[in-house]
Amino acid sequence: MGSQSSPLSTLGTTAGFEYVFPAIRGVQARREFYVSMCPLRLIPKIFLFDEDELAPEVRAQRVLNKGRIPALASYIVDNPDDYVFSALTASVDGEMKFVGISDEGPGMRIGQLHIPMAARFLINDGQHRRAAIEAALNENPELGDETIAVVFFQDSGLARCQQMFADLNRHAVRPARSIGVLYDHRDQHAKVARLLALKSVAFRGFVEMESSTLSARSSKLFTLSALYYATRSLLQGVELDREDAAAELADAFWSTIDQLIPEWRLVRQRKMSAADVRRQYLHSHGIALHALGRLGNTLLRESVAAEVWQPRLEPLKQVDWSRISPDWEGRAIVGGRVSKNHSNVVLTVNYLRGKLGLELGPEEAHVEATYLRGDR
């Protein structure tokens, strides 16, 4: 398993001592395993990472991505009353002894798990959670009395640990961003996006709430994730004096855009299908919504008064949103397909800024110059 050592696994100081965990015994693939609850303060002390400096073929974990740790730690510290962490999975390189509360019946599965302090604990799944717990404890030591579930397996060597890592991650699928927005009650922009999807005349009934992609025959025009990113860009840095003002302002902005894009209304009037609009036009795609949000943000930062920013959007009536328009080639359409990467969003924003007579920022000017040179 590697040559890593720890003060906790030094035989001279831990011989004869053991950890005792309340546990439940189970069986998977004819192997016993144990589930326990561990205090958070114990997690950084006994659970080790595999060595980062080892080659991948001789370790049993991916290298820790330290960039993920601050956000995970902040999640715990900032939400002490309702954070949720799933169980850690660990292999124990040492003898484990389970003592049930009885010798027969259900009591055989409930008892205490005895593990020598000289044993080595290696996390198979949850190393980033473990590092985040350590960082969170440094900020708020009071979290140390809380617990997290830990699943203990007997360490059966490097090959078995590597196989466990592969199996635990084989079928892991990141949920669609739309359903993440739908279920996120902490993110204020997610709340605004949900309100728009459910109540705004422009969007109600035409937003896919779960998937972040639309099938060719979908009756929806937009995805919740696209609406979320567009609205977040719209409201970024805009100063508002009331908590509910963000939703009101976003609704006013998108309702104004709705009046400038006749095809959206035609879908609501059942005079065009959502599938036909998506196939023929760009304005319902995520890149266009995002670009419109960024465009609106420029106007709202100058003034949130509708009588100031609404008239300035009027030139959008003249935009040819058709996907076959040569104006979009290389900007939003690459090789006949809508491109969502950052530079294409910027190029789409640049085009719309030109229609409104707005100057380009430094980044936008650089991306535009590169586009005009043909280096894309």
Side-chain angles (χ1 to χ4, degrees):
M1 284 298 299
S3 58
Q4 182 173 5
S5 62
S6 163
L8 287 172
S9 60
T10 304
L11 289 173
T13 58
T14 60
F17 294 90
E18 61 183 13
Y19 295 107
V20 180
F21 299 95
I24 299 173
R25 174 168 54 183
V27 176
Q28 282 185 6
R30 293 178 286 187
R31 290 185 174 92
E32 285 194 0
F33 71 99
Y34 312 93
V35 181
S36 182
M37 299 293 160
C38 293
L40 294 188
R41 65 167 45 92
L42 191 61
I43 299 301
K45 295 178 180 177
I46 67 172
F47 292 99
L48 308 175
F49 294 132
D50 215 340
E51 299 95 332
D52 288 353
E53 65 270 15
L54 289 179
E57 63 270 18
V58 292
R59 52 179 157 84
Q61 301 159 300
R62 73 186 101 189
V63 173
L64 187 72
N65 181 354
K66 295 180 180 177
R68 292 179 56 190
I69 306 309
L72 284 171
S74 294
Y75 164 68
I76 304 173
V77 173
D78 295 343
N79 302 283
D81 297 326
D82 61 356
Y83 74 91
V84 179
F85 262 8
S86 56
L88 306 177
T89 302
S91 292
V92 179
D93 186 8
E95 182 181 357
M96 294 191 289
K97 183 174 116 178
F98 180 80
V99 180
I101 61 175
S102 69
D103 294 331
E104 57 184 6
M108 295 176 61
R109 298 185 177 275
I110 305 171
Q112 293 182 325
L113 181 64
H114 298 253
I115 303 177
M117 287 189 179
R120 181 172 178 265
F121 299 78
L122 180 66
I123 292 181
N124 302 108
D125 183 60
Q127 61 264 43
H128 291 92
R129 273 165 278 156
R130 178 256 184 225
I133 288 169
E134 182 174 19
L137 288 172
N138 290 334
E139 290 191 52
N140 183 4
E142 293 182 3
L143 292 167
D145 291 328
E146 302 203 354
T147 57
I148 188 170
V150 179
V151 183
F152 293 100
F153 288 90
Q154 182 69 56
D155 188 333
S156 299
L158 176 62
R160 172 62 182 163
C161 285
Q162 289 177 334
Q163 188 63 58
M164 286 176 63
F165 177 87
D167 290 346
L168 287 167
N169 289 278
R170 183 186 307 276
H171 301 296
V173 177
R174 186 179 181 87
R177 182 56 186 159
S178 284
I179 200 168
V181 173
L182 181 62
Y183 292 165
D184 192 341
H185 296 274
R186 293 194 183 95
D187 187 333
Q188 293 302 313
H189 294 124
K191 292 180 181 179
V192 172
R194 286 196 302 272
L195 284 172
L196 290 170
L198 295 172
K199 297 183 177 182
S200 173
V201 172
F203 299 111
R204 186 175 62 237
F206 292 95
V207 176
E208 168 56 52
M209 304 293 280
E210 185 169 349
S211 176
S212 292
T213 58
L214 294 173
S215 67
R217 292 193 287 182
S218 173
S219 62
K220 307 297 184 183
L221 267 178
F222 318 96
T223 64
L224 184 59
S225 58
L227 181 56
Y228 166 81
Y229 287 117
T231 302
R232 187 178 68 175
S233 293
L234 173 70
L235 299 173
Q236 190 72 40
V238 177
E239 295 185 6
L240 301 169
D241 55 4
R242 291 179 292 109
E243 185 175 339
D244 59 351
E248 293 176 5
L249 182 58
D251 187 27
F253 175 81
W254 291 117
S255 295
T256 300
I257 296 296
D258 178 61
Q259 295 303 309
L260 303 173
I261 300 178
E263 290 80 17
W264 291 6
R265 298 195 304 278
L266 292 175
V267 172
R268 293 200 299 273
Q269 295 166 2
R270 310 298 181 188
K271 294 179 179 179
M272 289 190 73
S273 71
D276 285 342
V277 168
R278 292 196 316 274
R279 184 172 60 253
Q280 297 175 36
Y281 298 95
L282 187 67
H283 44 50
S284 64
H285 290 261
I287 187 174
L289 290 182
H290 196 168
L292 287 166
R294 288 183 57 160
L295 185 73
N297 181 257
T298 300
L299 303 180
L300 297 183
R301 280 175 177 263
E302 296 177 7
S303 174
V304 296
E307 60 270 20
V308 175
W309 57 262
Q310 280 183 335
R312 299 179 67 183
L313 291 170
E314 281 294 314
L316 292 179
K317 275 186 177 179
Q318 310 306 319
V319 172
D320 180 1
W321 291 101
S322 172
R323 290 179 58 168
I324 63 173
S325 169
D327 291 342
W328 302 120
E329 183 57 40
R331 289 188 184 274
I333 306 292
V334 178
R337 301 175 65 87
V338 178
S339 175
K340 301 177 182 178
N341 68 42
H342 177 71
S343 63
N344 290 109
V345 172
V346 173
L347 288 169
T348 304
V349 174
N350 290 356
Y351 177 81
L352 298 178
R353 286 193 189 283
K355 291 294 184 181
L356 269 60
L358 299 175
E359 293 184 359
L360 304 184
E363 180 201 9
E364 293 165 337
H366 173 72
V367 174
E368 188 70 17
T370 301
Y371 168 79
L372 294 174
R373 288 198 307 267
D375 302 337
R376 56 186 190 276

